[in-house]
Amino acid sequence: MLEKAIKGSKLYWGWICLLLVGIGIGFLAYTVQMKEGLSITGMSRDVSWGFYIAQFTFLVGVAASAVMMVIPKYLHHYQPFARILILGEFLAIAAVSMCLLFIIVDLGQPQRMLNIIFHATPHSILFWDMIVLNGYLFLNILIGWVTLEAEHKGVEPPKWIKPFIYLSIPWAVSIHTVTAFLYCGLPGRHFWLTAILAPRFLASAFASGPAFLILLSYVVKIFAKWDPGKEAIQSLAKIVAYATIINLFFIALEVFTALYSNIPGHTIHLKFLFSGLPGYSTYVPWMWVAILAGLAGFFILLFPENRKSDNVLAIGCLLVFMSCWIDKGLCFLIGGFTPSPLEEVTKYVPTKLELLISFGVYCAGFLILTILYKVAVGVKKEVAGEID
Amino acid sequence: MKSNRRQFLATLGITALGWSLFPNLLKAAEATSGHSLKGKRWAMVIDTKKLTVEIMEKCIRACNKAHNIPHIPDKKEVKWIWIETFHHLFPGQMGDKTHVSEYPEKKSLCLCNHCENPPCVRVCPTKATFQREDGIVMMDFHRCIGCRYCMAACPFGSRSFNFYDPRKFLKEENPNFPTRTKGVVEKCLFCYERIDEGKKPYCVEAAEGAIYFGDLNDPHSEVRKVLAERYAITRKPELGTFPCVYYLI
Ligand code: SF4
Ligand code: SF4
């Protein structure tokens, strides 16, 4: 099947080259980081994680969202998802790959990375995160490839794959739960110390992931001339709408609990995000955009006639995706570190090099995604008797 | 011997299982009893009344020099022991600044608490941060992968990361103590190298009697005596980490 990835149009190859250039740029920036250390980032003693780990957190959600198609398809035999499912699974592969890359670029001593395995430490949540992420990557590669291969040959997928598919459902939930545990088990970080964190992460994952998948479906439709199916997209849009409002509801719960109890350690992070601390309000507009974009996206997607119009649906999904990205891929992490446990306010803004490295990682993710999608769509078209 | 080993293995098995599944539950159960009473438990008692800025600076200089701590002039700095206001040391415990103006602004020394129940050790994925039998929370600079999870987990801001190559910021080097590379975390190690020689930490020596040091489990130790006589507080006791650095008020 892989041969489908090397037979493509000029446009396809142009895009691949573009991504390779992006990866190259990111890699060059990374060599600077290797030489100079993480001093080239905007991070500091007080804000000791930054853009990389925030992207990691966000992308875990995108990866986990494939489960929103696996459950209807395999537990409820909802057939419209049969066509699009492979796109969800392959998106998960690309997203988890980016997660792992973001962790690696964040390490101070990446060459010692395997110490996590050599000196395995089960009481560290990071150890479990490594296990569940790699496991999820493996599961999706296995399931995606085996089912696609069966389709290619025109046979039913082998029976032995079923248990893996069922396993992938709780596994998807686990990757985001464990990622939430990374944060919510830390004493003295009040912004993160909340039992609702894992459900909140899952809600925003099930909003942002399917929203992104809908947008990708349009891209596939336009450039690869293959339609994942109208009904599937419509169902995904409903999922996005409900997940978005649940996510916003969870954020509102956090805000109420902190503000009404009025405990300083809890309110101060929200103050930082929503109204700013003296001399530091960089993230206030971002946070408000996230909330308003989420609300707008929800109201757009709530109405069936909006969901049926391609353009409006795309705008709604874009708004939701943006909202989740800002909330989880930026503000959540920085808000937790500001102010520090000593109540000191240290500014954090990612540097250009930091952004370039992140850009490189995203390009690598998109390269994986493009190649996998090319193969998937190629197979689907061949089976349907269409010429590529 | 044999039963000892069997017992040890059994405890190991059970704790490995329990720890991996319910680290906090298990720890919380232990924590209700406070400090463990077995073996040595090194503790520091800082007399905030006796400490002056000059003495504090002397302590800091002694530590920095002995431990090859680089002087980095920005927020990516490395510090093991430093001066901090009460307001920052004990956030939320100093009352409002309007009516109580003096205490929040008073200064004292800030360093790793060598918590009895250290979250930094709990989260470290490589055991590069670990706890010795005598309670000292140690760092293995050669094992640390620089994930900085421990920095997120320490509720006292005690840890520094080597964003830069620290050797570039060292004016003189003490050959008897390791320098670090970029990309690893470090913090105060309670002068383990001196304790192992039966000496007291550098800062204690430089403090002209304003800092006491000793075994908390020994009822005749100096620290126990002074803690019995005077009122002392620890930082953020509500978090259950059980700091071993006390502040006499
Ligand atoms: S003060 Fe921080 S670094 Fe020191 S032992 Fe406690 S948690 Fe760990
Ligand atoms: S930075 Fe080093 S010491 Fe800290 S948690 Fe990671 S591996 Fe452990």
Side-chain angles (χ1 to χ4, degrees):
Chain A
M1 286 191 298
L2 259 182
E3 76 282 354
K4 300 239 177 303
I6 47 169
K7 276 191 291 179
S9 62
K10 278 212 183 93
L11 193 69
Y12 171 70
W13 284 112
W15 171 241
I16 296 275
C17 288
L18 221 62
L19 289 174
L20 286 173
V21 171
I23 295 172
I25 293 174
F27 187 77
L28 275 182
Y30 186 61
T31 54
V32 180
Q33 181 178 299
M34 280 306 278
K35 207 164 137 271
E36 305 291 329
L38 284 158
S39 60
I40 59 113
T41 69
M43 289 182 260
S44 59
R45 202 175 180 280
D46 286 340
V47 186
S48 46
W49 280 337
F51 200 70
Y52 301 147
I53 293 295
Q55 299 320 295
F56 154 77
T57 310
F58 174 73
L59 288 167
V60 172
V62 174
S65 71
V67 76
M68 280 288 110
M69 277 155 282
V70 176
I71 292 177
K73 165 73 177 60
Y74 286 103
L75 296 188
H76 301 278
H77 304 287
Y78 180 68
Q79 283 316 316
F81 276 165
R83 258 169 95 79
I84 199 172
L85 183 59
I86 192 75
L87 298 189
E89 282 161 351
F90 281 173
L91 173 60
I93 295 176
V96 179
S97 309
M98 285 190 267
C99 289
L100 295 172
L101 282 175
F102 270 117
I103 295 214
I104 293 172
V105 298
D106 185 69
L107 292 180
Q109 288 284 338
Q111 65 277 23
R112 295 184 189 164
M113 186 166 65
L114 291 180
N115 279 1
I116 298 197
I117 295 164
F118 296 153
H119 306 287
T121 311
H123 52 73
S124 170
I125 299 295
L126 204 56
F127 169 78
W128 291 107
D129 216 23
M130 183 221 35
I131 302 258
V132 290
L133 281 175
N134 282 300
Y136 193 65
L137 182 62
F138 166 76
L139 277 177
N140 275 290
I141 294 177
L142 183 76
I143 296 167
W145 206 253
V146 168
T147 50
L148 193 66
E149 188 135 55
E151 197 174 338
H152 193 200
K153 291 191 189 132
V155 296
E156 282 290 305
K159 277 224 166 57
W160 59 263
I161 197 74
K162 271 281 163 74
F164 288 100
I165 293 174
Y166 293 135
L167 179 65
S168 79
I169 295 171
W171 206 287
V173 176
S174 83
I175 60 168
H176 223 15
T177 305
V178 174
T179 305
F181 284 179
L182 279 181
Y183 295 98
C184 68
L186 304 179
R189 303 275 179 190
H190 297 304
F191 187 58
W192 300 334
L193 191 86
T194 162
I196 212 179
L197 196 63
R200 194 182 134 197
F201 270 13
L202 285 166
S204 82
F206 298 156
S208 57
F212 191 56
L213 197 66
I214 293 175
L215 295 171
L216 280 178
S217 298
Y218 283 123
V219 174
V220 170
K221 218 157 121 183
I222 293 166
F223 289 100
K225 314 261 177 315
W226 181 76
D227 189 354
K230 207 157 186 76
E231 199 182 331
I233 302 251
Q234 290 300 310
S235 303
L236 278 181
K238 282 179 214 152
I239 293 174
V240 175
Y242 290 121
T244 305
I245 195 64
I246 294 174
N247 181 36
L248 290 171
F249 176 60
F250 283 162
I251 295 179
L253 295 182
E254 296 281 13
V255 172
F256 171 82
T257 309
L259 294 192
Y260 196 77
S261 67
N262 200 25
I263 299 172
H266 294 255
T267 54
I268 193 148
H269 300 279
L270 290 169
K271 275 193 193 140
F272 163 63
L273 288 176
F274 285 99
S275 59
L277 298 174
Y280 187 23
S281 50
T282 316
Y283 293 97
V284 174
W286 289 89
M287 199 60 216
W288 282 107
V289 167
I291 299 292
L292 295 177
L295 280 174
F298 168 68
F299 280 112
I300 289 174
L301 296 177
L302 186 60
F303 298 102
E305 55 270 32
N306 289 344
R307 292 199 297 264
K308 290 204 181 88
S309 148
D310 285 340
N311 290 336
V312 183
L313 175 60
I315 292 175
C317 288
L318 210 61
L319 286 170
V320 166
F321 186 78
M322 196 168 83
S323 162
C324 294
W325 182 81
I326 297 175
D327 170 35
K328 204 153 87 188
L330 201 65
C331 292
F332 169 75
L333 186 121
I334 301 168
F337 276 116
T338 323
S340 76
L342 274 66
E343 295 199 344
E344 262 165 297
V345 177
T346 306
K347 293 191 187 180
Y348 168 76
V349 181
T351 59
K352 281 201 196 81
L353 277 171
E354 208 173 347
L355 292 175
L356 279 181
I357 293 172
S358 305
F359 172 72
V361 172
Y362 271 109
C363 285
F366 273 93
L367 183 70
I368 296 172
L369 190 72
T370 308
I371 293 174
L372 290 175
Y373 273 25
K374 180 80 174 50
V375 172
V377 171
V379 168
K380 298 258 178 194
K381 278 179 153 180
E382 191 188 308
V383 171
E386 297 167 33
I387 22 148
D388 203 353
Chain B
M1 190 62 201
K2 211 173 184 180
S3 77
N4 247 345
R5 190 184 318 148
R6 200 175 305 137
Q7 213 179 0
F8 174 72
L9 287 176
T11 339
L12 202 76
I14 292 167
T15 32
L17 191 77
W19 254 64
S20 55
L21 296 176
F22 307 108
N24 287 315
L25 287 184
L26 209 73
K27 271 289 180 186
E30 245 172 54
T32 45
S33 58
H35 291 289
S36 82
L37 293 171
K38 278 175 277 144
K40 281 201 189 311
R41 184 68 27 175
W42 296 112
M44 186 179 271
V45 181
I46 297 175
D47 190 337
T48 62
K49 285 220 167 101
K50 275 197 212 156
L51 267 189
T52 61
V53 172
E54 290 82 67
I55 299 181
M56 288 193 257
E57 274 166 2
K58 255 176 72 186
C59 299
I60 297 169
R61 263 201 305 278
C63 174
N64 285 358
K65 194 162 162 244
H67 299 125
N68 293 322
I69 295 167
H71 177 72
I72 296 168
D74 62 28
K75 285 283 183 184
K76 296 178 169 72
E77 69 203 315
V78 174
K79 43 189 185 182
W80 287 23
I81 178 167
W82 68 100
I83 297 176
E84 203 61 84
T85 61
F86 271 43
H87 173 68
H88 286 143
L89 276 169
F90 307 101
Q93 288 180 57
M94 282 298 121
D96 66 316
K97 276 192 189 164
T98 337
H99 301 98
V100 192
S101 56
E102 201 178 314
Y103 256 92
E105 296 309 323
K106 265 186 71 138
K107 293 190 169 103
S108 197
L109 284 172
C110 187
L111 71 162
C112 168
N113 284 302
H114 294 272
C115 305
E116 166 100 27
N117 185 359
C120 54
V121 171
R122 196 151 66 222
V123 302
C124 176
T126 63
K127 302 188 195 80
T129 287
F130 60 98
Q131 193 173 27
R132 296 206 322 187
E133 284 277 305
D134 57 3
I136 296 183
V137 175
M138 283 291 293
M139 277 296 312
D140 182 339
F141 302 124
H142 298 285
R143 188 184 281 192
C144 172
I145 58 172
C147 66
R148 310 191 295 297
Y149 197 9
C150 53
M151 294 177 79
C154 171
F156 305 102
S158 305
R159 299 181 154 256
S160 308
F161 178 70
N162 284 292
F163 287 96
Y164 298 99
D165 177 0
R167 286 161 195 149
K168 286 187 194 155
F169 294 86
L170 277 180
K171 278 195 205 81
E172 45 183 333
E173 202 182 303
N174 171 12
N176 298 321
F177 198 83
T179 55
R180 276 75 68 193
T181 58
K182 67 175 188 297
V184 300
V185 165
E186 61 180 75
K187 66 169 194 78
C188 154
L189 302 174
F190 248 16
C191 286
Y192 72 98
E193 77 279 16
R194 288 183 52 95
I195 291 175
D196 291 348
E197 284 175 7
K199 293 182 193 152
K200 285 186 177 173
Y202 287 108
C203 59
V204 176
E205 209 175 61
E208 300 171 12
I211 305 179
Y212 304 91
F213 190 86
D215 180 6
L216 204 58
N217 281 349
D218 173 5
H220 305 294
S221 68
E222 210 180 8
V223 284
R224 280 288 285 276
K225 278 189 197 137
V226 62
L227 285 176
E229 275 164 22
R230 290 189 44 197
Y231 181 63
I233 57 173
T234 57
R235 296 171 66 195
K236 302 194 183 180
E238 73 278 9
L239 298 180
T241 70
F242 291 102
C244 286
V245 174
Y246 291 80
Y247 292 83
L248 295 175
I249 297 300

